[in-house]
Amino acid sequence: MKISLFAFTLLAGVLMGASAPLSESDETADNDLVYGVRREALFRKHGVKELFVESESFDQGKVTTARHLNEYQLFDHNGRMVQQERASERVLSYRNDWEYNAKGQAVAGTSYHLIGGRRDTGRADLAWLPTEHTRYVAEGTELAGKTRWNADTGLWDPLTRIRTWIRHDTTYVETRDAQGTLTELERQFTVGLGKHTQRTDNLTFSNGRPREPKFRYYRIEKKHVVESGEVTFEKETQEYVEKHPETLGYVLGGSKYGFHALTYYVAGLKPGTLKPDFKLLYNRKGQLLLATGYGVRTAYQRDAAGRAIASTQSREEGGGATITAYSYRPDGLLAREIITRPDGATETRYYRYRFF
């Protein structure tokens, strides 16, 4: 079972409103948090070419941030985002581009920053300088990995190289720096009955020595991520040492690096103990209704078409809630969001479209 990019960005999207280019996948249902369907398919149906998101903020009836272009998105004929520009201090300052293969999979991304100082809040006469290029999947002569633009030489300097391979039922991802030194090793595989749980083990290295490994899991039901969390191996490592006393030196030898390596080894043999820290609840159509985790609770109210009409985000320690109201154009595309924060301050986002 392979988890699409959506599964790894969904949690950030729920908590922070983050957006990312999503490719259609049969492994997980990549429904948009607001529309309740795949935005890619919806934009393809309507022929959306460009999206302009304008924003303004008020506090106690007074304008705190004047209306300005906060974000720009460009799409291809298949409804996939190929360019995104984001504002900082009311001025578009950051840009990301994405490339896709014939299967619709995002294979590469390039980031840019704005050249020169600007006061204008629009898109006229923008000049961009590339900063980093990341290829997620090796294609042709270009290896997977990250490069950084060298303005002095006009060339891309290699930062990392990524190699992916599959052994038995496990996918391995190896990352090396420009000198060829191993910096990160990740393995992904399924565990449990029905193979509905994806586990990701991550081991990083510093000066050739392993650091404390991280273990995460994602549980899938009906193609939807319903739970994620940490996997721990304290009990399993203790039991392994008891059965293999020759490994006791890794525990008592005073070397944390040896213990990290031992834990990573044991994790490859045992399912571990799952400790959920994030849960998601969907309706019968697979549209998100409730997300809880990291002390945050986000609930969605939806109309008959499955679109979000309101969302409420609150924290466990109290302090009020942030409420977002959504309204739509006659053709069903998002027209406006009104965000009301616990202190009464509001932000309104306006959505404008251009079509092919």
Side-chain angles (χ1 to χ4, degrees):
M1 176 179 65
K2 179 183 176 183
I3 303 300
S4 72
L5 176 64
F6 178 79
F8 296 100
T9 60
L10 174 63
L11 308 187
V14 172
L15 293 175
M16 303 176 64
S19 60
L22 305 177
S23 58
E24 296 195 25
S25 165
D26 291 333
E27 301 293 344
T28 54
D30 302 346
N31 287 340
D32 184 84
L33 295 174
V34 176
Y35 287 113
V37 296
R38 288 182 173 179
R39 190 179 75 159
E40 186 174 295
L42 183 67
F43 279 22
R44 180 170 60 239
K45 173 184 175 182
H46 288 283
V48 174
K49 180 181 180 180
E50 295 175 290
L51 169 60
F52 302 82
V53 183
E54 297 178 338
S55 173
E56 62 181 350
S57 301
F58 297 85
D59 190 4
Q60 297 181 353
K62 297 181 180 180
V63 176
T64 55
T65 303
R67 184 164 173 169
H68 65 284
L69 182 60
N70 191 57
E71 185 174 346
Y72 167 81
Q73 298 177 8
L74 176 67
F75 301 87
D76 63 14
H77 283 277
N78 290 309
R80 300 173 302 212
M81 190 195 308
V82 295
Q83 182 175 322
Q84 179 188 44
E85 298 170 4
R86 295 171 291 110
S88 174
E89 300 296 328
R90 300 177 60 243
V91 174
L92 292 175
S93 303
Y94 304 100
R95 169 181 160 185
N96 291 93
D97 292 357
W98 290 277
E99 304 170 27
Y100 302 84
N101 60 18
K103 297 180 180 179
Q105 178 186 17
V107 296
T110 306
S111 61
Y112 303 78
H113 70 262
L114 188 67
I115 299 176
R118 282 172 51 87
R119 294 185 178 181
D120 183 78
T121 60
R123 298 191 65 247
D125 302 321
L126 292 177
W128 299 100
L129 182 69
T131 53
E132 288 187 350
H133 175 77
T134 302
R135 176 157 289 278
Y136 316 124
V137 180
E139 283 194 340
T141 59
E142 189 171 0
L143 301 174
K146 181 180 295 185
T147 57
R148 179 173 295 159
W149 180 253
N150 188 324
D152 295 328
T153 63
L155 299 173
W156 291 99
D157 293 336
L159 294 179
T160 63
R161 286 290 179 261
I162 299 174
R163 184 170 69 96
T164 302
W165 70 96
I166 298 176
R167 182 185 301 166
H168 303 300
D169 61 347
T170 302
T171 299
Y172 294 87
V173 182
E174 174 190 85
T175 303
R176 294 182 179 271
D177 62 20
Q179 289 72 43
T181 303
L182 180 65
T183 60
E184 184 175 347
L185 179 63
E186 182 177 279
R187 60 190 177 197
Q188 301 176 6
F189 54 95
T190 56
V191 295
L193 297 176
K195 295 188 179 298
H196 296 304
T197 302
Q198 165 91 48
R199 210 180 85 192
T200 300
D201 300 351
N202 186 274
L203 182 63
T204 58
F205 298 83
S206 177
N207 296 323
R209 295 178 174 180
R211 306 175 72 176
E212 183 178 3
K214 305 294 182 182
F215 308 99
R216 299 286 303 176
Y217 78 92
Y218 301 84
R219 188 160 62 86
I220 311 297
E221 290 183 3
K222 298 180 179 179
K223 296 187 177 182
H224 296 287
V225 180
V226 297
E227 182 179 286
S228 73
E230 181 185 4
V231 190
T232 61
F233 294 92
E234 289 87 351
K235 176 182 176 182
E236 290 78 5
T237 301
Q238 181 180 348
E239 292 175 349
Y240 184 86
V241 172
E242 290 175 353
K243 293 181 180 180
H244 301 83
E246 68 275 11
T247 64
L248 190 62
Y250 290 109
V251 181
L252 302 179
S255 172
K256 61 180 179 180
Y257 306 110
F259 181 71
H260 294 336
L262 176 62
T263 302
Y264 191 77
Y265 175 76
V266 172
L269 306 174
K270 304 290 184 178
T273 302
L274 305 184
K275 292 187 175 181
D277 53 29
F278 204 91
K279 295 184 178 182
L280 302 104
L281 176 67
Y282 303 83
N283 61 18
R284 293 183 178 181
K285 296 182 179 180
Q287 294 150 346
L288 186 64
L289 296 178
L290 179 66
T292 55
Y294 307 107
V296 178
R297 180 183 188 275
T298 305
Y300 291 87
Q301 299 177 21
R302 300 188 177 274
D303 61 15
R307 302 173 305 190
I309 55 176
S311 65
T312 304
Q313 186 177 88
S314 57
R315 304 194 67 87
E316 291 180 355
E317 65 266 23
T322 297
I323 301 174
T324 303
Y326 308 88
S327 58
Y328 299 85
R329 295 159 35 114
D331 60 6
L333 296 175
L334 185 62
R336 185 172 61 183
E337 293 178 78
I338 300 178
I339 305 168
T340 304
R341 310 193 190 283
D343 60 1
T346 64
E347 178 188 356
T348 302
R349 298 173 183 169
Y350 305 90
Y351 291 75
R352 295 189 295 110
Y353 304 84
R354 286 181 181 168
F355 303 88
F356 286 104

